[in-house]
Amino acid sequence: MIALLGNPNTGKTSLFNALTDSYEYVGNWSGVTVDKKVGNLRKGGELVDLPGVYSLNPVSKDETVVSTFLIEGNFDSLINIVDASQLNRSLHLTIQLLEFGCPFIVGLNMADVAQTRGIKIDVEKMANFLQVPVRSIVARKKQGIDELEADLINIKKQQEHGQVILYAKPLEALIQKLEGILPLDLPINKRWAAIQYIDDNPVVKAEIQKYMNDETMNEIVNEHMTRENITEEQLRRLIRQGREKYIHNLIAEVVNDQQSGEKSSTEKIDKFVTHPVLGIPTFIALMYLMFMLTFNWLGFPISDLLEGVISGPITTGLEAGLTFIGASAFLESMILDGIVAGVGGVLVFVPQIFILFFFISLLEDSGYMARVATVMDRLMQVMGLNGKAFIPMIIGFGCNVPGVMAARTIEQPRERLITILLTPLMSCSARLPVYALFAGAFFAQQQAFVVLSLYILGVVLALLMAKLLSKSMLKSEESFFIMELPPYRIPQPLTLWRSTWEKGKGFLRKAGTYIFAGSVIIWLLTYTGPGGIGVEMNDSFLAAIGGWFSPLFAPLGFGTWQASAALITGFLAKEIVVATMAILYVVPEASMHLALSEAFTPIAAYSFMVFILIYVPCLATVAVIKKETDSMKLTLFSMAYAFILAYGLSFLIYQVGTIWFAG
Amino acid sequence: MTMKLTELAVGDKATIVDMSGCSRMIQKRLTQLGIDDCAEVCVQNKLPFGGPCFIQCENQCISIRKKDAMSIEVCQESVI
Ligand SMILES: Nc1nc2c(ncn2[C@@H]2O[C@H](COP(=O)(O)OP(=O)(O)OP(=O)(O)O)[C@@H](O)[C@H]2O)c(=O)[nH]1
Ligand SMILES: [Mg+2]
């Protein structure tokens, strides 16, 4: 097994995708990959993609994954991705790998960026200096990939005992002392472990404690510090300085830097999007643009067209076909009233969902995410959160599951937890069909406005809840924020399409599995009842089940068995709400809009949409919350608070609204 | 003469003298990014209402909160 290791945002995942022909999540900010991902190399063997780290000494949770992975040692060799345009910074990690002493090669990525900046690196000299093979690559254009692949085969023949980089006297003496007392059976390089111990690496400390009581080590360090009259801080600085000296020598030998001092386009764009006054308006304008294109200007007409095709030619075609083969009434009803109505009702919204995903991918790959996080940090601080919480939230507009995962880059545990709990309030693409359906039926004139109000409601509720939760939960640690702003990169059309497709694929897959199966089951439950097969819908099993719950929802304005049935199925995946509705309100020769408007009043419809927005995260989101928080209690809490909030708010909207409009 | 990083105007360059006043996590991260004592930084932008400030160092741009920027001491070489 080979693993990819390198600084954040240097193109590790891009290389991973090129080498394994897979498609993992790529984005232009630090902390896109938050967990290890395994893929199969084209030439055989496995490749692991890891989160980016600056050092083997972790700060946040995703970084701990890497240190732990390295210490566990379940790999044969590494590829260290080094950013050629940020050589100085990247090499600190390379040195730690040299000291660690595992076989690895260096992939010098972003060679194109370095070239435009006028940085020339002599790859051969660099390989000689490091005593490690070095390859210059451009991961996202797949340049140099074949050569790197060839190197991978020879990688194992390398030395394994680690290079010794000498540090300044007082530090060097301490390293050697500690190295001497580390137990022989410690399975990692002792010199490396000693250096990391002095550098206060929590993962290494924990590992050492498994083999010995580190009391003695502590004593030695303390004694050494008093004797040499040196502080812990100074020791750490000496480690850095030692490495810096090494890097300085390397750069002097292999780099020919002729950087021009002219302003990059990144700076020009940043003048605008992070402008003290225009920053937030720019963000809101961008969101508005994305929203209008999805729902109004572009997405809506296309979806409308598609609906015409599905309910027109496709349905009549199938009908004719079924009659032709002489299908039974049961089969015909199952296919037309169940599958076509249910799955088709959801598929209609595919264009809109793809447009939304396209914009989210665009935001991810351009480099804007890090700017949003910074621009929003002040506001989020007031709410007891961190600007970085905005990244999971924006991703959450696409799908809550990766949104919840993305919260891992938030270093502070309490802020991370709150972000995880609140990301489900972001209106994901699965809820989009519900809004589109209801807004189209009840608020045709103000369709976009009504849907927009729901998105905003989600964000506002999340912010208010953040305030509430951060006030009531223990203030454990101090909040902090630091973010790198990567240079803007013009997204490549192919990458953009792949990343849109990857997201959209999930939706299509759901349509083919969950929603398909759900539609069949729901149809079956409407077709059968206590009275037998082919009963009136109102006497069906589904009516009985829904009817059992409906009194609960009556005060919210939608106490029908149909609405209750849709809500129950919606827990599996929110799109199923629409599939269910499409099956339940299927009326031949009449539009579903009409059938809906008989079942709901406009206020009840709005109340229903609000309820759908908030009521419970879908099954997949609940599962990921459980995994990320590792606490059943918090998972249950995330469901309970959402339900209570949804109930309260819908109640308020319906009751106040009814009185308001009646009077 | 030393001053706080936040006292620099946008576009000013200065050298870091002391950042031991920052919280430990920020310090750790900044050093990882190569921003340490003696590093030359440039203030690129400051957001209003005490929002984060953008600092540039060695071809990279980083944003930190004002509170942390305030505890970084810098020294501006006198222009002769
Ligand atoms: N110009 C250029 N851009 C690249 C190259 N390789 C990757 N990128 C871009 O750099 C950004 C980061 O790529 P990723 O592959 O997500 O980087 P990563 O190292 O996996 O990032 P993390 O998972 O956050 O640590 C993306 O926008 C890529 O399109 C390259 O060789 N040249
Ligand atoms: Mg990655």
Side-chain angles (χ1 to χ4, degrees):
Chain A
M1 190 143 89
I2 298 169
L4 277 163
L5 213 80
N7 284 181
N9 207 30
T10 49
K12 295 177 298 300
T13 307
S14 303
L15 180 66
F16 176 85
N17 289 337
L19 288 176
T20 60
D21 284 327
S22 52
Y23 197 83
E24 287 298 335
Y25 208 176
V26 169
N28 190 11
W29 77 89
S30 296
V32 180
T33 310
V34 288
D35 204 354
K36 55 179 188 219
K37 287 272 161 60
V38 185
N40 290 318
L41 281 166
R42 290 187 295 188
K43 299 249 167 83
E46 280 184 330
L47 185 67
V48 188
D49 187 21
L50 292 169
V53 290
Y54 293 109
S55 155
L56 296 176
N57 186 352
V59 178
S60 64
K61 184 171 187 282
D62 51 340
E63 298 178 347
T64 315
V65 173
V66 178
S67 311
T68 314
F69 178 85
L70 207 65
I71 289 177
E72 280 172 357
N74 295 326
F75 59 90
D76 304 314
S77 50
L78 300 173
I79 305 175
N80 175 213
I81 296 295
V82 167
D83 184 343
S85 64
Q86 290 288 351
L87 209 50
N88 194 335
R89 179 176 97 181
S90 306
L91 286 170
H92 278 274
L93 182 65
T94 309
I95 292 181
Q96 293 180 51
L97 291 178
L98 287 173
E99 289 176 334
F100 185 75
C102 58
F104 73 99
I105 57 176
V106 169
L108 198 59
N109 196 29
M110 307 270 180
D112 54 337
V113 182
Q115 199 175 18
T116 42
R117 288 211 190 141
I119 306 168
K120 282 204 186 71
I121 301 171
D122 189 327
V123 175
E124 231 158 82
K125 274 191 192 159
M126 188 166 160
N128 276 333
F129 197 105
L130 292 170
Q131 296 289 306
V132 161
V134 179
R135 279 287 170 197
S136 174
I137 56 173
V138 182
R140 82 155 164 179
K141 290 188 193 128
K142 303 195 180 181
Q143 284 168 16
I145 303 293
D146 296 337
E147 291 87 342
L148 189 85
E149 222 168 17
D151 284 349
L152 281 178
I153 297 167
N154 304 325
I155 203 171
K156 295 195 188 83
K157 294 174 190 135
Q158 270 180 64
Q159 47 138 345
E160 268 205 46
H161 35 263
Q163 282 188 30
V164 175
I165 286 136
L166 285 177
Y167 293 95
K169 198 81 177 287
L171 173 64
E172 190 59 44
L174 181 61
I175 294 173
Q176 285 174 13
K177 249 189 244 170
L178 292 181
E179 207 184 330
I181 66 153
L182 279 169
L184 282 173
D185 53 348
L186 188 74
I188 43 179
N189 186 306
K190 303 208 173 32
R191 184 180 163 87
W192 179 83
I195 297 167
Q196 294 291 330
Y197 186 89
I198 298 167
D199 202 19
D200 201 18
N201 182 332
V203 183
V204 172
K205 279 197 167 161
E207 180 70 15
I208 291 175
Q209 274 162 3
K210 278 191 217 157
Y211 293 85
M212 66 184 283
N213 191 340
D214 74 339
E215 203 63 30
T216 18
M217 290 189 76
N218 228 334
E219 266 166 36
I220 291 179
V221 175
N222 285 333
E223 189 201 332
H224 189 84
M225 286 196 312
T226 30
R227 182 139 40 83
E228 297 282 338
N229 193 18
I230 195 167
T231 63
E232 234 181 303
E233 205 52 54
Q234 284 165 323
L235 277 174
R236 270 185 227 127
R237 173 145 303 145
L238 285 179
I239 298 181
R240 262 204 91 70
Q241 284 171 350
R243 290 175 184 163
E244 228 130 61
K245 205 172 109 201
Y246 180 92
I247 295 170
H248 188 82
N249 290 341
L250 184 148
I251 288 181
E253 198 164 312
V254 308
V255 180
N256 185 357
D257 194 339
Q258 295 156 331
Q259 286 192 44
S260 56
E262 88 184 60
K263 269 199 176 169
S264 61
S265 49
T266 291
E267 274 173 59
K268 283 180 209 148
I269 300 173
D270 270 346
K271 276 254 136 30
F272 196 66
V273 302
T274 63
H275 188 274
V277 182
L278 295 176
I280 293 182
T282 309
F283 172 63
I284 293 174
L286 274 174
M287 285 287 137
Y288 185 73
L289 186 76
M290 162 170 137
F291 179 85
M292 287 309 271
L293 278 168
T294 307
F295 285 96
N296 211 353
W297 302 330
L298 190 63
F300 179 67
I302 302 179
S303 284
D304 223 25
L305 217 71
L306 194 64
E307 191 187 351
V309 173
I310 291 181
S311 63
I314 291 187
T315 308
T316 27
L318 271 173
E319 226 172 339
L322 286 169
T323 324
F324 180 74
I325 61 166
S328 66
F330 178 84
L331 193 66
E332 188 176 328
S333 172
M334 180 166 94
I335 290 177
L336 294 178
D337 304 338
I339 297 167
V340 174
V343 179
V346 176
L347 282 184
V348 163
F349 299 101
V350 164
Q352 280 174 313
I353 284 167
F354 269 76
I355 293 172
L356 183 71
F357 283 151
F358 174 82
F359 280 102
I360 292 176
S361 303
L362 196 66
L363 286 179
E364 285 170 355
D365 216 22
S366 62
Y368 186 60
M369 285 292 208
R371 273 79 183 177
V372 179
T374 305
V375 169
M376 290 297 171
D377 182 60
R378 187 72 195 98
L379 176 70
M380 298 301 265
Q381 220 183 327
V382 173
M383 295 299 166
L385 271 184
N386 188 300
K388 281 189 185 175
F390 242 83
I391 296 178
M393 287 183 168
I394 293 178
I395 295 174
F397 281 138
C399 175
N400 289 168
V401 174
V404 169
M405 297 279 294
R408 282 200 191 179
T409 39
I410 298 171
E411 295 94 340
Q412 218 264 344
R414 186 178 54 100
E415 290 174 341
R416 174 168 168 252
L417 201 64
I418 296 177
T419 310
I420 290 175
L421 293 176
L422 297 182
T423 301
L425 287 174
M426 296 302 110
S427 186
C428 68
S429 62
R431 285 167 244 190
L432 182 154
V434 184
Y435 305 153
L437 177 68
F438 276 77
F442 294 95
F443 310 99
Q445 298 307 312
Q446 307 90 12
Q447 196 170 353
F449 174 74
V450 165
V451 181
L452 183 64
S453 74
L454 289 162
Y455 275 79
I456 292 173
L457 181 69
V459 176
V460 170
L461 280 177
L463 294 182
L464 292 177
M465 285 296 294
K467 184 83 198 163
L468 201 74
L469 287 177
S470 63
K471 269 258 157 24
S472 54
M473 283 163 83
L474 292 166
K475 264 213 166 6
S476 48
E477 290 155 64
E478 208 190 348
S479 155
F480 65 96
F481 174 84
I482 177 165
M483 187 101 211
E484 302 113 73
L485 307 172
Y488 286 104
R489 299 204 171 94
I490 297 170
Q492 288 182 308
L494 186 70
T495 321
L496 209 54
W497 160 244
R498 287 298 301 266
S499 113
T500 307
W501 171 244
E502 261 334 282
K503 295 186 183 84
K505 210 171 69 181
F507 185 83
L508 290 177
R509 198 183 298 129
K510 263 198 283 183
T513 53
Y514 273 82
I515 298 170
F516 185 90
S519 298
V520 173
I521 293 170
I522 290 159
W523 170 82
L524 209 64
L525 286 175
T526 59
Y527 197 72
T528 57
I533 292 174
V535 293
E536 270 293 305
M537 218 179 245
N538 282 330
D539 303 323
S540 67
F541 282 124
L542 196 64
I545 300 169
W548 203 74
F549 286 98
S550 59
L552 182 65
F553 300 117
L556 314 187
F558 41 86
T560 60
W561 68 262
Q562 287 96 333
S564 307
L567 287 172
I568 298 167
T569 54
F571 173 60
L572 290 177
K574 302 219 166 171
E575 302 93 322
I576 300 188
V577 171
V578 168
T580 311
M581 289 272 167
I583 296 170
L584 298 185
Y585 292 111
V586 77
V587 200
E589 316 296 322
S591 84
M592 195 170 147
H593 288 176
L594 210 70
L596 276 178
S597 59
E598 279 165 12
F600 290 82
T601 64
I603 292 176
Y606 193 76
S607 157
F608 187 73
M609 287 194 275
V610 169
F611 197 78
I612 291 283
L613 166 68
I614 314 166
Y615 81 119
V616 261
C618 70
L619 199 58
T621 309
V622 169
V624 78
I625 291 177
K626 168 77 182 46
K627 182 167 160 260
E628 293 295 290
T629 58
D630 201 19
S631 147
M632 201 58 213
K633 222 170 83 191
L634 283 169
T635 312
L636 289 175
F637 172 76
S638 75
M639 293 160 74
Y641 96 80
F643 191 84
I644 294 167
L645 193 65
Y647 199 91
L649 212 63
S650 290
F651 182 81
L652 214 66
I653 288 171
Y654 182 67
Q655 297 296 340
V656 173
T658 313
I659 294 167
W660 187 279
F661 286 102
Chain B
M1 188 201 69
T2 68
M3 61 206 286
K4 290 174 185 157
L5 185 64
T6 41
E7 287 167 347
L8 292 174
V10 170
D12 279 0
K13 284 196 176 80
T15 309
I16 294 181
V17 185
D18 182 21
M19 39 182 239
S20 53
C22 287
S23 69
R24 231 176 94 47
M25 287 300 203
I26 295 286
Q27 242 185 81
K28 201 166 165 180
R29 190 63 104 201
L30 284 175
T31 27
Q32 285 184 349
L33 293 165
I35 301 179
D36 204 351
D37 291 4
C38 303
E40 198 193 25
V41 294
C42 170
V43 175
Q44 224 189 22
N45 194 354
K46 286 193 240 179
L47 291 176
F49 309 113
C53 94
F54 296 64
I55 50 178
Q56 200 175 31
C57 175
E58 293 189 29
N59 268 322
Q60 56 183 340
C61 187
I62 286 146
S63 56
I64 54 174
R65 283 188 176 155
K66 187 172 176 188
K67 173 184 72 131
D68 295 301
M70 245 155 57
S71 38
I72 297 178
E73 293 280 332
V74 296
C75 170
Q76 219 175 356
E77 292 105 315
S78 49
V79 188
I80 308 163

